[in-house]
Amino acid sequence: MDPSQLTLTDITLRYADRVVLDRLSLTVAPGERVGVVGDNGSGKSTLLGVLAGALEPQNGTRVVHAPGGVGHLRQALDLPPASTVGDAVDHLLADLRSLEAQIGALERTLGDLDDDALDVATHRHAALTARFEARGGHGADHRVDVALHRLGLPGLDRGRRLGTLSGGERSRLALAGTLAADPELLLLDEPTNDLDDAALDWLTGRLRDHAGTVVAATHDRAFLADLTTTLVEVDGGVARRYGAGYAGYLAAKEAEREQARLAHERWRADLDRNHRLVETNAARLENIPQKVELSIFGAAQFRARSRSHGATSRVRQAKERVRRLTDDPAPRPAERAEFRTEVGTTTTAGDRSAAAGADRPAVLLDGVEVRGRLRVPRLVVRHGEHVLVTGANGAGKSTLLGVVAAEVEPDTGGVRTVGAVGHLRQTDGFGARDRRTVLHGFAAGRPGDLDEHAVALLGTGLFAPHDLPRPIGALSQGQRRRLELARLVTAPTDVLLVDEPTNHLAPALVEELEQAFAAYAGTLLLVSHDRTTRARFRGRRVVLDGGTIVDDSAA
């Protein structure tokens, strides 16, 4: 069998005036398990589409050769609602169905062929059969049933219409079919969406055992840590490879930050030194006279040494160096995310626990009910307390935060929240049709001039200077999320409400946010489905089910 090959060289792909992939190059070795990371809208799905041959770039070279087949899991199953589950399975097993049909067609003609044609047909039949059996073609339908069972859809009726399935159920069906086809190259776009912990564990083990190559775009840090050997970060249309799995990726990102800090310090020191050279030598020039009296030599006047010599030359060289350094600055690395409180300072977990022990409610819900969505007889969250709110989709988590933020009016009961509130919502606060610039969106409703706001926004490290004049509507979903986050971290708060902060953001930024949440001195209510966030969280945990608190306990 021919060797596998997966190489992209100088790939450029744009939609209208938006460049999604910009001369991107990437090579994946056979058998690698690659995680593709980046903010939502950074080009991860586009990259997988190019690898799968579903998208045609405007420039560059694509070489993808996988003799054992290619399986491409998209985020949505692209079939009409009237299609059945059986239609979807046939669609997902199309390669195997085609091989099976070709084998059957050849078998029906073998008895009618002369010796020469029979010899050709026999060889072709043998090749097709070998390919079919290598991928376990006869067991594919059984593998679909096994995968559906392990992914939480046991006994799914093949005659059921896709339109009657939820979005999560359609996603799991697509994943089951893609895995059951057992192609050599698996291209998976957000495969962990809508899976519970048991299904995630099964999927990770299944992909670890996969004999071919896996390329998966995902935000799931636990999945990346458990599965990947290599990470590829897509940002600004280009891709960067990081070895040694997820831990190696985080170590490399930290090293990049340190290198950027040192480069900026060297640049700053060089610029300051040359500014001083200009000032010092300019002052020296002022003290050199143009002409001096030298009567003792019998001369009326004597011209001083040429001003193009010595101090003048040093000034000219220093000015040129200043110009070059100013034209090509070393960017200042972003400050680490830090959420500020109106009062107090950052505390340790122990200090925060002690502070919370002083019985001072920061959030109090008493007899609160939002009909059909939330019912909380009583909830008290003390100052400085950190609370993780969990529960299934639709359990009432976002509604709870909305009530605390005074954005959702309860039908009954009382709500009291003390201090300034910051709320990072799960849905976009900035719309795709927002025509304001990034800078104006950041500054909206805040005192001060735009220069001050530009300094504050750039100081978060979430945007570069060239991003500030861009229209908000031109940003990706992940970039709009960053803008909401930038407003949150630059506004002092006493109560921080955070709804699914890992959505739409690259893992490296999420890691930094987690550290900022842990260090936050104020009161925190955090909603998250993220397995890594849940495992690392230290504090009180509240579980909602059907809009009602079913568990409220310390970590």
Side-chain angles (χ1 to χ4, degrees):
M1 185 177 287
D2 295 338
S4 302
Q5 188 176 359
L6 193 160
T7 303
L8 303 180
T9 305
D10 289 336
I11 294 293
T12 298
L13 192 147
R14 64 178 65 85
Y15 298 109
D17 59 347
R18 183 186 171 218
V19 178
V20 182
L21 303 180
D22 187 11
R23 299 190 66 184
L24 180 146
S25 295
L26 175 67
T27 298
V28 176
E32 274 196 293
R33 298 195 296 269
V34 180
V36 181
V37 298
D39 290 348
N40 272 22
S42 62
K44 304 187 301 297
S45 297
T46 302
L47 174 59
L48 292 189
V50 171
L51 289 173
L55 295 175
E56 188 66 32
Q58 284 86 15
N59 299 100
T61 303
R62 170 189 176 272
V63 179
V64 177
H65 181 62
V70 177
H72 181 202
L73 175 71
R74 297 171 173 85
Q75 289 192 43
L77 187 57
D78 189 20
L79 289 173
S83 300
T84 66
V85 170
D87 294 333
V89 171
D90 289 337
H91 172 72
L92 294 162
L93 300 180
D95 283 355
L96 294 177
R97 297 285 195 249
S98 175
L99 285 172
E100 191 172 28
Q102 291 177 66
I103 292 170
L106 275 175
E107 289 173 345
R108 288 190 294 272
T109 64
L110 290 178
D112 300 326
L113 301 176
D114 59 29
D115 289 345
D116 290 340
L118 180 61
D119 187 55
V120 173
T122 301
H123 280 87
R124 177 163 174 73
H125 181 274
L128 290 172
T129 301
R131 288 172 58 190
F132 185 72
E133 292 179 349
R135 291 178 60 178
H138 293 296
D141 284 284
H142 174 67
R143 292 197 299 272
V144 171
D145 292 334
V146 171
L148 286 172
H149 180 80
R150 301 305 296 263
L151 295 173
L153 293 174
L156 186 61
D157 184 357
R158 297 287 178 103
R160 185 171 170 182
R161 301 290 180 185
L162 295 182
T164 68
L165 301 179
S166 69
E169 288 171 334
R170 289 195 295 272
S171 295
R172 283 178 279 165
L173 170 60
L175 177 59
T178 304
L179 295 174
D182 202 22
E184 177 183 345
L185 172 60
L186 280 170
L187 303 171
L188 309 176
D189 198 348
E190 299 293 355
T192 66
N193 284 359
D194 306 299
L195 301 185
D196 61 21
D197 288 351
L200 286 165
D201 289 340
W202 176 82
L203 174 62
T204 303
R206 165 68 180 81
L207 294 177
R208 277 204 208 101
D209 294 338
H210 183 65
T213 304
V214 178
V215 182
T218 182
H219 289 89
D220 190 322
R221 292 172 294 156
F223 181 77
L224 291 168
D226 292 343
L227 176 71
T228 59
T229 56
T230 302
L231 264 76
V232 172
E233 184 177 64
V234 182
D235 184 26
V238 300
R240 295 194 63 183
R241 280 178 60 99
Y242 298 87
Y246 186 60
Y249 164 73
L250 292 181
K253 296 298 288 185
E254 186 61 31
E256 287 176 8
R257 180 192 287 273
E258 180 62 14
Q259 290 167 2
R261 184 188 66 80
L262 293 174
H264 179 77
E265 287 183 357
R266 288 192 296 268
W267 173 83
R268 182 78 258 176
D270 199 1
L271 185 63
D272 290 344
R273 182 172 60 254
N274 281 277
H275 272 305
R276 289 194 300 272
L277 282 172
V278 171
E279 293 169 359
T280 300
N281 285 285
R284 185 176 299 169
L285 278 173
E286 291 299 321
N287 293 325
I288 299 177
Q290 292 289 328
K291 296 180 180 180
V292 296
E293 298 289 342
L294 292 178
S295 57
I296 60 171
F297 292 108
Q301 290 183 331
F302 180 81
R303 191 167 186 83
R305 295 181 65 188
S306 169
R307 292 172 63 85
S308 65
H309 183 273
T312 302
S313 177
R314 287 191 292 273
V315 168
R316 185 170 59 250
Q317 292 171 3
K319 283 184 175 179
E320 176 62 18
R321 181 62 176 163
V322 166
R323 184 189 66 77
R324 291 180 181 178
L325 289 168
T326 303
D327 289 345
D328 186 23
R332 181 176 181 174
E335 299 293 334
R336 295 190 183 276
E338 179 180 352
F339 297 97
R340 297 180 292 134
T341 55
E342 287 283 8
V343 293
T345 57
T346 301
T347 63
T348 65
D351 293 337
R352 186 170 58 245
S353 177
D359 191 16
R360 299 184 298 128
V363 175
L364 173 61
L365 277 66
D366 191 7
V368 165
E369 182 173 357
V370 180
R371 290 191 184 94
R373 297 162 62 188
L374 185 71
R375 189 177 71 84
V376 180
R378 187 170 178 82
L379 176 66
V380 178
V381 182
R382 293 166 293 175
H383 279 282
E385 198 170 15
H386 285 192
V387 179
L388 176 67
V389 182
T390 62
N393 287 345
K397 304 184 297 294
S398 296
T399 302
L400 174 63
L401 295 195
V403 168
V404 174
E407 296 168 359
V408 175
E409 183 72 25
D411 296 304
T412 60
V415 181
R416 182 180 176 221
T417 304
V418 179
V421 176
H423 189 190
L424 183 67
R425 300 162 189 82
Q426 187 174 163
T427 54
D428 277 347
F430 293 100
R433 297 184 179 181
D434 197 323
R435 296 183 179 180
R436 291 175 297 176
T437 67
V438 169
L439 179 56
H440 282 88
F442 174 78
R446 297 184 169 188
D449 60 40
L450 284 178
D451 287 342
E452 293 172 334
H453 292 306
V455 171
L457 177 53
L458 293 174
T460 67
L462 296 169
F463 289 92
H466 65 263
D467 292 318
L468 271 55
R470 293 181 63 191
I472 292 173
L475 301 180
S476 69
Q477 192 173 19
Q479 289 170 322
R480 294 198 298 273
R481 185 71 161 176
R482 283 174 174 257
L483 185 54
E484 295 172 48
L485 188 59
R487 282 178 60 87
L488 189 65
V489 300
T490 52
T493 58
D494 296 298
V495 178
L496 192 58
L497 310 174
V498 184
D499 198 349
E500 300 293 2
T502 63
N503 286 0
H504 316 307
L505 299 177
L509 178 54
V510 173
E511 293 280 345
E512 189 175 323
L513 285 179
E514 276 191 356
Q515 297 174 24
F517 292 141
Y520 177 59
T523 305
L524 172 69
L525 272 72
L526 171 65
V527 169
S528 181
H529 69 280
D530 185 273
R531 289 182 293 166
T532 303
T533 297
R534 295 187 339 241
R536 293 176 179 173
F537 185 82
R538 297 294 177 266
R540 179 176 164 192
R541 294 171 185 252
V542 169
V543 181
L544 288 175
D545 184 15
T548 302
I549 295 175
V550 296
D551 187 19
D552 186 349
S553 59

